[in-house]
Amino acid sequence: MTNDLPKRARVVIVGGGVIGCSVAYHLTKMGWNDIVLLERKQLTSGTTWHAAGLVGQLRQSINMTQLARYTGDLYRGLEAETGQATGYRQCGSLSLATTPGRMEELKRNASMAKVFGLPVNVVGPQEIHSLYPLANLSDVIGGIHIPSDGYANAVDITQALAKGARSRGALIVQDLKVTAIHHSAGRVTGVQTERGRIDADYVVLCGGMWTRDLAAGIGVTVPLHACEHYYVLFQDVAGLKPDMPVLRDYDHCSYFKYDAGKLLVGAFEPHARPWGANGIPDDFSFGEIAGDFSHFEPVLLDAMRRIPALEQAGIQKFFCGPESFTPDVRYHLGESTELANCFVAAGLNSIGLQSAGGIGKVVSEWIRDGHPPVDLWEVDVRRNMPFQINRKYLRARVSESLGLLYATHWPFRQYETARGVRKSTLHDRLAAAGACFGEAFGWERPNWYAPAGVTPRYAYSYGRQNWFEHSAKEHRTVRSGVGLFDQSSFAKFRLEGADAARVLNRVCGNDIDVAPGKMIYTQWLNDRGGIEADLTVTRLSDTAFLIVGGAETESKDFQWLRRHIEPAHHCVLTNVTSGMGVLSVMGPRSRELLQSLSPDDLSDAAFPFATSRVIELGYALVRASRITFVGELGWELYVPTEFMQGVYDELIGAGERYGLLHAGYHALNSLRIEKAYRHWGHDITDEDTPLEAGLGFAIKWDKPGGFIGREALLRQKQSGCLQRLVQFKLKSPDPLLYHNEPVWLDRHLVGFIRSGMYAHTLGAAVGLGYVTAPNGGVVESVGPDDYEIEVAGARWPATASLRPLYDPKSERIKS
């Protein structure tokens, strides 16, 4: 065979499914034509070819809904643009609710859709019957109707995207396997194929269920695993019509779609069967797997009850094929932490067609601009922890992941599989104290504590859950006495060396060139002034610093700082997260408790706020840092892991005299939101600036050498902010806020809630959210009584403030 491969390309895309072809299409659409797509077999031959083809637009978050909505808009015009049939049909969709909890979820989603103008209608059984007369609605209490949803032929869509990419210069090569990814000095340099090497500036891994192994071979973390995925085609279904909407019966794990005169019934069952644990065969192409009819049978029986006409219809095809799923049921998109210019677009959890257009667009723009075009943290590949590519972990977790797509998305729902991965050294002691653990980034963390006689187990709802009063007690104890939090999951790094201060001061918005023993709260900014990280920096000595951030961003933050250390810089960055536990002792009586256990002077005069020093506590030497995320006097105690149990025992032994109470992460959240402390990933992101977020106090404008993002912030400071972060408190104590609730100013929709929680001291739900001006101008002030928050279709008056509603002058933390 003649080797017609180029020696070099600007971008090489690995994988010819709908995702890879969408990336090629969008790269060429923005003017890049030096693009090569390599497919090991034929386009769509992995999993795209057997996709059911649903094109839904409403997802569980605003940005994911925007990706899906763009996809629908793209597909509507793709056939006219390329001349390639797509099978796209806009028939609408219906989602059913058979329980009050599901109905609450659907109504909240319908409210969220208003934020970006997606028409979603809340409907009752009578309206559902008129739209889908085949359905038995005896147990249905309502649902939502989305008129602009539809379906398409996944193979045809992929071919149309490929045709569009080819027409603008992309080279698509089939039957050619990529055997290796080349890289050097922390940067991808190209690919190796069975017909030679192609050098490239960028490589995009779009290999579907093959991506985990391909990425692992170059040290890139992309956790995903294939599962069996089932559907059945029924023929001769009485009353079936082409214009019927897609029907989703979430509570019975099934969906129904018209398919060329037949009815396709698919499933997202609660306990999936992982597949391919020992590797995927090299010759797998347009392949089916045996499946297990008995596994699918319970869903099928429910489907027949929902559509009684199926009982008299014939089964034309029982299908089982593989789909890849991720540990948290979220996509993997963007540039990897481990290799610069190595991009990922994989792990689509069987709903890739619904967002393929949007994914191709944002990944292409990310490659072009060097940063994501919108806040994509929830699907950013950098969120993943290295342990998550462990095969045993993946097999266990994805058995749950598949079913979570259709499970009720309860607030605070916890994963049930692959638990106990990362534990604090105090885990057993906290369990004995009644901890109900949640899982976060592999860590087992106490979310709340059950008192004696109460089982530490969740009972989920959209209202006040079974832990509400127990967490309220923890919250109030921290406000009035003293509480103990285990925050060992904090990400902790050390930067040491002669150039450490210079490197950090360039990355940090605040000035960290301070005396040893001082703590600095700061943000790391990008060139646009957006917040990449929110953390504290403690100067340990002239040449050493301790950096502490959130557990969720451990990998991202570490790599962000590492990439800003030039080869000529004399400093070393080390991740010491596993080497230290953290106990936070918080509340007005925290000083009394700690002073009873330490000979060191903890008075305000001797140990002022934002001071950090090593003290004696029990038999240990502990770094005590006077800082808080709850808005009270308190210390974070950084303890070598081997001393954690002894220090904990000392605190518990002495704590009874001071009313010490264990407190969990739900209380931490209610305390921090009451004080309007921001949480990265929700309230502040890489799209939000410190000025918009009310964090301008943490910016040192004129420090020597400046900082990344300074110029962008100066421009915004001069022009004014078009959005401002506001704290809202509902005037009624009844409704609860979680996130994504629309914010109204009269008849104008001016924002949405980023994060919400019940604030027990303030006596109502509190939320943080950005607001814009109805005229699109600068937001200079907010009226305290001008706003309403929409919760599940109902609007509730709220008090609004740019300052914290609790202790606005921060007098308590400095007492």
Side-chain angles (χ1 to χ4, degrees):
M1 178 183 292
T2 302
N3 191 343
D4 56 353
L5 290 181
K7 296 294 185 183
R8 179 169 184 80
R10 195 171 188 180
V11 182
V12 172
I13 300 165
V14 183
V18 69
I19 302 300
C21 288
S22 180
V23 173
Y25 171 91
H26 284 89
L27 283 170
T28 60
K29 194 171 185 178
M30 69 186 194
W32 290 25
N33 54 22
D34 190 7
I35 309 300
V36 175
L37 184 150
L38 303 174
E39 163 54 44
R40 59 187 292 276
K41 296 294 183 180
Q42 296 292 302
L43 298 185
T44 78
S45 63
T47 59
T48 296
W49 73 274
H50 63 71
L54 306 187
V55 184
Q57 297 168 90
L58 187 59
R59 311 301 305 155
Q60 289 298 314
S61 73
I62 285 169
N63 280 341
M64 292 305 99
T65 301
Q66 289 175 325
L67 292 189
R69 192 178 186 193
Y70 169 83
T71 299
D73 292 341
L74 173 69
Y75 292 173
R76 274 188 282 275
L78 197 56
E79 184 171 341
E81 176 195 341
T82 65
Q84 165 71 48
T86 61
Y88 182 79
R89 186 180 187 90
Q90 186 175 312
C91 60
S93 72
L94 275 170
S95 298
L96 307 182
T98 63
T99 66
R102 177 72 70 180
M103 194 67 220
E104 173 84 2
E105 177 186 355
L106 294 180
K107 288 195 293 185
R108 283 176 174 264
N109 287 347
S111 289
M112 178 188 72
K114 296 176 184 177
V115 172
F116 40 86
L118 176 65
V120 177
N121 305 314
V122 178
V123 292
Q126 186 172 348
E127 293 167 282
I128 295 171
H129 176 74
S130 67
L131 291 163
Y132 210 100
L134 287 183
N136 167 19
L137 305 177
S138 59
D139 59 340
V140 172
I141 60 178
I144 56 174
H145 176 228
I146 307 176
S148 57
D149 277 356
Y151 59 83
N153 183 298
V155 173
D156 290 343
I157 288 285
T158 305
Q159 295 292 350
L161 292 167
K163 187 174 181 180
R166 285 193 188 100
S167 72
R168 291 186 290 266
L171 174 65
I172 296 178
V173 183
Q174 302 182 79
D175 293 310
L176 184 60
K177 182 179 180 180
V178 171
T179 57
I181 309 293
H182 294 296
H183 57 95
S184 176
R187 181 176 297 272
V188 75
T189 57
V191 303
Q192 189 70 38
T193 78
E194 295 168 332
R195 286 160 45 196
R197 172 173 176 152
I198 305 176
D199 291 328
D201 297 323
Y202 303 89
V203 173
V204 190
L205 306 182
C206 303
M209 59 187 174
W210 286 271
T211 306
R212 182 258 175 222
D213 290 350
L214 186 63
I218 52 173
V220 170
T221 302
V222 186
L224 52 82
H225 195 292
C227 284
E228 296 177 358
H229 189 46
Y230 294 84
Y231 62 72
V232 171
L233 272 175
F234 283 88
Q235 60 187 359
D236 303 322
V237 180
L240 183 65
K241 296 179 180 179
D243 59 352
M244 284 183 170
V246 172
L247 184 69
R248 294 182 177 88
D249 186 2
Y250 290 120
D251 294 326
H252 297 95
C253 313
S254 55
Y255 60 89
F256 305 81
K257 169 211 156 191
Y258 178 87
D259 193 294
K262 302 174 231 1
L263 188 65
L264 184 150
V265 181
F268 288 97
E269 68 277 18
H271 304 290
R273 290 161 54 98
W275 181 81
N278 298 319
I280 301 166
D282 284 342
D283 60 352
F284 192 86
S285 175
F286 296 107
E288 299 183 33
I289 52 183
D292 182 349
F293 189 82
S294 65
H295 177 77
F296 182 70
E297 189 175 19
V299 175
L300 186 59
L301 293 174
D302 281 336
M304 289 179 170
R305 282 189 282 270
R306 180 64 64 215
I307 309 293
L310 295 182
E311 296 179 7
Q312 306 303 319
I315 294 180
Q316 185 195 61
K317 175 74 172 176
F318 170 69
F319 177 83
C320 180
E323 294 275 4
S324 65
F325 290 84
T326 66
D328 56 7
V329 209
R330 293 184 276 164
Y331 314 149
H332 296 318
L333 303 182
E335 187 179 20
S336 74
T337 56
E338 298 88 352
L339 280 181
N341 290 5
C342 180
F343 280 76
V344 177
L348 280 304
N349 301 292
S350 192
I351 53 174
L353 187 70
Q354 300 187 37
S355 292
I359 288 169
K361 181 176 186 292
V362 297
V363 170
S364 298
E365 292 171 351
W366 198 333
I367 292 170
R368 179 192 66 194
D369 300 333
H371 59 80
V374 294
D375 171 30
L376 293 171
W377 175 245
E378 66 182 292
V379 292
D380 195 319
V381 71
R382 295 175 295 174
R383 74 188 184 278
N384 295 304
M385 303 295 168
F387 80 86
Q388 290 183 295
I389 62 170
N390 176 286
R391 291 178 176 88
K392 181 178 180 180
Y393 167 83
L394 286 171
R395 284 196 302 273
R397 174 54 63 80
V398 298
S399 67
E400 180 182 10
S401 296
L402 182 146
L404 291 179
L405 284 166
Y406 273 27
T408 304
H409 295 84
W410 298 116
F412 311 107
R413 188 198 182 280
Q414 301 300 318
Y415 293 107
E416 298 172 0
T417 55
R419 294 294 298 267
V421 178
R422 305 170 82 184
K423 295 180 179 179
S424 159
T425 58
L426 302 178
H427 181 86
D428 292 348
R429 282 168 164 77
L430 302 181
C436 183
F437 293 97
E439 186 268 344
F441 335 112
W443 285 98
E444 295 291 322
R445 307 196 304 188
N447 280 345
W448 57 280
Y449 287 84
V454 174
T455 302
R457 183 180 300 128
Y458 280 91
Y460 298 118
S461 78
Y462 273 93
R464 288 160 169 75
Q465 296 186 9
N466 63 318
W467 49 265
F468 184 85
E469 289 301 332
H470 307 313
S471 186
K473 182 179 180 181
E474 298 166 22
H475 177 115
R476 295 185 185 109
T477 298
V478 173
R479 287 279 181 252
S480 62
V482 58
L484 177 69
F485 300 88
D486 180 3
Q487 294 188 272
S488 297
S489 62
F490 274 154
K492 301 171 282 285
F493 317 137
R494 284 180 69 106
L495 185 67
E496 302 177 72
D499 291 328
R502 182 156 62 95
V503 169
L504 265 178
N505 231 15
R506 177 65 183 163
V507 172
C508 295
N510 212 334
D511 188 357
I512 59 84
D513 194 5
V514 294
K518 288 293 295 180
M519 297 186 73
I520 299 297
Y521 170 60
T522 188
Q523 287 78 46
W524 293 349
L525 308 179
N526 53 45
D527 290 332
R528 307 173 312 282
I531 301 171
E532 291 286 347
D534 182 70
L535 35 74
T536 62
V537 175
T538 301
R539 189 160 201 170
L540 307 177
S541 69
D542 288 344
T543 59
F545 294 85
L546 175 67
I547 301 142
V548 179
E552 181 178 9
T553 55
E554 178 183 337
S555 294
K556 174 184 178 294
D557 292 347
F558 186 84
Q559 296 301 336
W560 180 267
L561 183 54
R562 183 180 65 84
R563 289 188 180 185
H564 286 90
I565 301 173
E566 301 292 339
H569 288 148
H570 294 283
C571 55
V572 176
L573 179 65
T574 308
N575 189 335
V576 296
T577 299
S578 298
M580 286 188 290
V582 181
L583 287 168
S584 293
V585 181
M586 297 287 158
R589 303 198 71 184
S590 57
R591 179 181 284 120
E592 294 177 70
L593 170 58
L594 291 174
Q595 193 66 83
S596 73
L597 296 171
S598 177
D600 295 271
D601 187 352
L602 303 181
S603 67
D604 186 57
F607 209 129
F609 183 74
T611 297
S612 178
R613 65 171 64 114
V614 175
I615 66 170
E616 296 179 36
L617 204 162
Y619 294 132
L621 297 176
V622 171
R623 173 160 294 280
S625 297
R626 189 175 163 194
I627 198 75
T628 181
F629 196 51
V630 301
E632 301 293 339
L633 172 69
W635 279 262
E636 292 172 355
L637 306 177
Y638 292 82
V639 187
T641 52
E642 68 269 29
F643 289 96
M644 274 284 283
Q645 293 181 0
V647 169
Y648 170 86
D649 291 343
E650 293 279 350
L651 290 167
I652 296 302
E656 186 176 355
R657 297 194 300 274
Y658 304 95
L660 178 68
L661 194 70
H662 289 85
Y665 273 80
H666 291 335
L668 186 75
N669 195 28
S670 61
L671 289 158
R672 73 93 188 168
I673 206 166
E674 194 167 62
K675 188 65 173 70
Y677 286 149
R678 283 65 164 147
H679 182 266
W680 196 92
H682 293 97
D683 312 312
I684 48 178
T685 72
D686 60 3
E687 285 191 291
D688 309 310
T689 73
L691 300 181
E692 297 165 340
L695 299 175
F697 65 88
I699 298 298
K700 290 297 182 285
W701 298 95
D702 298 321
K703 65 176 179 173
F707 55 90
I708 297 169
R710 179 177 182 271
E711 290 73 20
L713 289 190
L714 285 172
R715 289 192 296 270
Q716 187 178 64
K717 189 177 183 182
Q718 184 174 13
S719 63
C721 295
L722 301 182
Q723 65 170 8
R724 297 286 298 276
L725 187 65
V726 177
Q727 186 183 36
F728 297 97
K729 180 178 79 74
L730 296 183
K731 295 188 177 182
S732 168
D734 296 331
L736 298 180
L737 299 176
Y738 297 113
H739 55 85
N740 291 337
E741 293 88 355
V743 178
W744 293 89
L745 177 62
D746 298 324
R747 66 182 185 280
H748 301 286
L749 204 163
V750 295
F752 61 93
I753 296 298
R754 293 285 190 93
S755 64
M757 195 73 173
Y758 195 90
H760 299 284
T761 311
L762 296 177
V766 167
L768 296 176
Y770 291 86
V771 300
T772 58
N775 63 3
V778 172
V779 180
E780 295 181 349
S781 61
V782 298
D785 301 305
D786 293 346
Y787 295 89
E788 293 179 309
I789 312 297
E790 181 175 332
V791 180
R795 295 190 193 179
W796 298 85
T799 299
S801 178
L802 293 172
R803 301 181 68 198
L805 292 170
Y806 178 80
D807 189 22
K809 296 182 180 180
S810 295
E811 295 170 330
R812 295 177 67 86
I813 67 174
K814 298 176 181 178
S815 60

